[in-house]
Amino acid sequence: QVQLVESGGGLVLAGGSLRLSCAASGSIFSINAMGWYRQAPGAQRELVAAINSGGRINYVESVKDRFTISRDNAENTVYLQMNSLKPEDTAVYYCNAQITSLRRGAPFNYWGQGTQVTVSS
């Protein structure tokens, strides 16, 4: 069984920083893309940043130059460093990974449980 466990959310003042971590564990054969999504109250879930197994990175325009995504393939972990946080960054952040498990034998989208990020003005 594969699971994603997130950590690092919390409450921060505008202009502050937070670092999110997401570790994948279980019977993993390979991991392709890993990324972070967020969902604010009343809004749709949106992609914040993603990184594939080759290191190619995409960001939503609103976080470029403020957020940095990275991954440690040896640890099956993806990180999101968030700097210069704004109140509009407030949301539940979800980790996502395309994982081929030993059981399924084909890629499947897995989600973390979500971690709350609140930016106060």
Side-chain angles (χ1 to χ4, degrees), residues 81-102:
Q81 177 66 44
M82 304 184 293
N83 299 329
S84 302
L85 282 160
K86 304 176 180 179
E88 50 263 44
D89 295 317
T90 295
V92 178
Y93 284 69
Y94 296 91
C95 175
N96 172 269
Q98 296 170 359
I99 297 174
T100 299
S101 68
L102 295 172

Side-chain angles (χ1 to χ4, degrees), residues 58-77:
N58 290 306
Y59 295 103
V60 67
E61 189 66 32
S62 60
V63 307
K64 284 181 180 178
D65 300 324
R66 299 189 299 121
F67 290 10
T68 301
I69 189 171
S70 61
R71 65 189 281 175
D72 182 335
N73 291 327
E75 298 293 330
N76 292 334
T77 300

